[in-house]
């Protein structure tokens, strides 16, 4: 297979639009990516042809919809190379997947038990653990980040110990673009008997992830960054890990038997999918994964790195620029500040040129603090971006800068 960004672009109707009289240059992909026609069509087709609730009916539409929903689960299992589809729990996104583990696994934790996080975590992988600190006296330990944006692995090893109950770390940072050494992290955690949750919300979009090769215990991601719809994501959990977890939410579908006096619970994954799930969205996510299976993802990753490199080279020598995150081998995310300008102003001016970037804390306040800034702007690339768009961004940023020079 080869990779041609122009033919990929053709499949994303929104990329044809104009913003402020200019062609849209969409560089806010780490927040959410655009959707290919195949995803929209799959969702529409389901609603037009065989929509019903899942798992409850005996009629034809219920069976067809259940099959489509479970096929989507199989697609997620393939994406992650999970050993079994029953290791895949549908959630409403990465945030809910992490909350599920923190709430369910965390129930048995006691004061003084430790969770190891890092300074580069998204709030989605901090706040659910803070609940355990507030409510149960669990201690949170944060792996420091080096000046170039890597995890300090020596400090990480030193933080692990007999009280470590869980390590929860991002596979790829949504600000720095750093790809963390997952195998090393997992091996070290397992050596002290601690399971590992990887926040894969960014990594799943850009890397081939193999949960069995990683030997990871939990893996969380969202559909909407992976060219799928909002409202759907997944939690992978090793079979024995999921089997040991108590339910997260209660309701229909997650039970075995309910009487007035007692309940029994369904086996995973249904134990963790209380109520009617996001059926149409799950099918949309399945379609996104099938669509990606038709793409040479390694070639796409090379293309994304070339986009990032083009920006770095285009801005080379710009002494007014303060990039954040320069880890070797990092992904295609460019976070920066412009001297003398607020990141929000930069983003607004770029928008006038049709260039969409994010500005703010990126839900990573501890990381902002680590780098001594209150916010940053961020351009993040997807496989449908082009070298011309990278140039358009560099050009617009140069113009934006003149407002503050
Ligand atoms: N973790 C990381 C690394 C992210 O980038 C994001 C989304 N910005 C999340 C977690 C949360 O994802 P969601 O809002 O889709 O649940």
């Amino acid at each position: 297979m080869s990779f041609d960004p122009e033919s990929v672009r053709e499949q994303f109707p929104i990329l044809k639009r104009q913003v402020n009289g200019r062609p849209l240059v969409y560089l806010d992909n780490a927040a959410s990516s655009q959707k290919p026609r195949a995803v929209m069509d799959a969702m529409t087709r389901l609603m037009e042809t065989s929509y019903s609730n899942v798992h409850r009916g005996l009629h034809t539409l219920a069976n067809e919809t259940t099959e489509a929903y479970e096929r989507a689960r199989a697609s997620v299992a393939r994406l992650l190379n999970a050993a079994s589809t029953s290791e895949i729990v549908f959630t409403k996104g990465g945030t809910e997947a992490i909350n599920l583990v923190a709430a369910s696994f965390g129930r048995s934790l006691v004061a003084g038990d430790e969770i190891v996080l890092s300074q580069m975590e998204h709030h989605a992988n901090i706040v659910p653990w803070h609940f355990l600190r507030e409510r149960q006296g669990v201690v949170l330990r944060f792996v420091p980040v080096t000046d170039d944006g890597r995890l300090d692995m020596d400090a990480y090893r030193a933080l692990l110990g007999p009280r470590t109950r869980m390590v929860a770390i991002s596979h790829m940072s949504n600000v720095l673009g750093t790809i963390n050494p997952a195998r090393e992290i997992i091996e070290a955690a397992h050596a002290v008997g601690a399971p590992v949750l990887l926040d894969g919300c960014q990594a799943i979009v850009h890397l081939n992830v193999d949960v069995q090769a990683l030997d990871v215990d939990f893996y969380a991601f969202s559909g909407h960054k992976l060219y799928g719809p909002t409202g759907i994501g997944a939690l992978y959990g090793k079979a024995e890990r999921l089997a040991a977890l108590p339910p997260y939410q209660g309701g229909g579908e997650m039970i075995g038997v309910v009487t007035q006096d007692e309940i029994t619970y369904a086996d995973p994954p249904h134990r963790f999918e209380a109520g009617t799930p996001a059926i149409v969205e799950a099918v949309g996510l399945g379609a996104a994964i099938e669509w990606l299976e038709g793409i040479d993802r390694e070639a796409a990753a090379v293309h994304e790195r070339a986009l990032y490199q083009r920006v770095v080279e285009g801005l080379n020598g710009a002494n007014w620029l303060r990039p954040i995150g320069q880890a070797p081998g990092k992904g295609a995310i460019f976070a920066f500040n412009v001297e003398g300008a607020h990141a929000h102003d930069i983003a607004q001016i770029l928008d006038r040129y049709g260039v969409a970037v994010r500005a703010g804390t990126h839900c990573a306040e501890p990381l902002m603090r680590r780098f001594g800034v209150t916010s940053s702007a961020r351009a993040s690339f997807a496989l449908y971006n082009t070298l011309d768009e990278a140039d358009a961004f560099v050009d617009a940023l140069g113009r934006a800068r003149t407002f503050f020079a």
Side-chain angles (χ1 to χ4, degrees):
M1 268 194 277
S2 64
F3 180 73
D4 171 20
E6 289 300 339
S7 72
V8 167
R9 268 183 95 71
E10 281 299 308
Q11 301 173 52
F12 290 75
I14 202 170
L15 297 179
K16 293 191 174 63
R17 73 161 280 181
Q18 304 250 315
V19 168
N20 295 325
R22 315 251 181 164
L24 167 66
V25 176
Y26 187 76
L27 301 180
D28 194 16
N29 296 288
S32 203
S33 63
Q34 303 299 343
K35 319 304 169 198
R37 178 69 73 195
V39 168
M40 303 176 215
D41 286 351
M43 296 170 78
T44 305
R45 198 162 49 242
L46 181 77
M47 289 184 283
E48 283 181 348
T49 61
S50 70
Y51 177 77
S52 172
N53 210 326
V54 290
H55 296 142
R56 322 177 180 210
L58 294 171
H59 58 82
T60 300
L61 293 191
N63 289 336
E64 286 177 4
T65 307
T66 301
E67 263 173 42
Y69 180 71
E70 291 303 324
R71 207 163 45 241
R73 196 191 305 279
S75 296
V76 175
R78 265 197 325 279
L79 177 75
L80 297 174
N81 193 32
S84 158
T85 52
S86 59
E87 294 179 319
I88 306 299
V89 179
F90 278 125
T91 62
K92 79 179 161 77
T95 299
E96 191 182 39
I98 298 168
N99 271 275
L100 190 166
V101 177
S104 179
F105 177 86
R107 252 186 41 194
S108 61
L109 300 185
V110 297
D113 282 346
E114 296 175 3
I115 307 285
V116 174
L117 309 172
S118 88
Q119 279 182 331
M120 68 169 82
E121 297 315 306
H122 187 282
H123 294 166
N125 196 29
I126 300 176
V127 181
W129 306 107
H130 262 300
F131 291 164
L132 300 176
R133 181 190 58 76
E134 286 181 343
R135 296 167 190 169
Q136 290 157 239
V138 166
V139 176
L140 305 186
R141 298 187 160 270
F142 289 81
V143 183
V145 169
T146 62
D147 288 345
D148 65 351
R150 286 172 297 113
L151 284 184
D152 181 336
M153 289 300 284
D154 290 335
Y156 167 63
R157 283 193 195 84
L159 285 179
L160 296 171
R163 295 304 300 266
T164 310
R165 296 286 172 262
M166 173 73 78
V167 171
I169 285 184
S170 60
H171 196 179
M172 173 176 167
S173 161
N174 66 313
V175 181
L176 305 167
T178 308
I179 296 164
N180 286 319
R183 268 303 298 152
E184 250 181 88
I185 290 169
I186 292 161
E187 266 170 20
H190 286 176
V192 298
V196 176
L197 178 150
L198 287 181
D199 171 357
C201 286
Q202 297 295 333
I204 195 70
V205 185
H206 307 284
L207 307 177
N208 278 322
V209 174
D210 181 335
V211 290
Q212 293 186 75
L214 287 172
D215 195 24
V216 69
D217 301 278
F218 298 103
Y219 200 92
F221 76 92
S222 297
H224 67 94
K225 297 178 201 279
L226 190 68
Y227 312 107
T230 51
I232 188 75
L235 172 71
Y236 160 84
K238 266 186 196 165
E240 64 270 25
R241 290 281 175 200
L242 288 182
L245 289 190
Y248 169 54
Q249 296 181 330
E253 291 306 313
M254 51 74 70
I255 43 82
V257 177
V258 181
T259 71
Q260 289 197 181
D261 303 316
E262 62 180 354
I263 41 174
T264 60
Y265 302 121
D267 290 331
H270 303 294
R271 183 188 302 168
F272 306 105
E273 292 181 5
T276 298
I279 301 164
V280 180
E281 291 76 7
V283 167
L285 173 58
I289 293 168
E290 284 176 22
W291 178 79
L292 277 168
E293 285 171 344
I295 282 177
D296 182 340
R297 292 193 74 195
E298 273 170 30
V302 169
H303 168 66
E304 288 173 349
R305 268 197 297 280
L307 296 171
Y308 173 77
Q309 249 345 91
R310 181 84 150 214
V311 166
V312 169
E313 280 156 23
L315 292 167
N316 190 18
N319 60 2
W320 41 269
L321 193 71
R322 302 279 173 272
I324 301 173
Q326 283 138 320
K330 65 171 274 185
I333 294 180
F334 185 75
F336 63 96
N337 274 296
V338 170
E339 206 172 76
H342 194 283
H344 286 170
D345 294 330
I346 292 295
Q348 275 182 359
I349 297 169
L350 289 177
D351 184 58
R352 288 196 210 163
Y353 296 100
V355 179
V357 301
R358 180 135 302 228
T361 65
H362 316 295
C363 297
E365 286 183 19
L367 186 69
M368 294 293 112
R369 210 157 288 136
R370 156 68 182 85
F371 282 97
V373 296
T374 52
S375 64
S376 87
R378 178 186 72 186
S380 52
F381 296 89
L383 44 67
Y384 46 62
N385 289 127
T386 62
L387 290 170
D388 284 348
E389 288 184 312
D391 292 343
F393 164 64
V394 168
D395 184 56
L397 186 56
R399 289 168 199 265
R401 189 258 165 174
T402 60
F403 285 73
F404 303 94

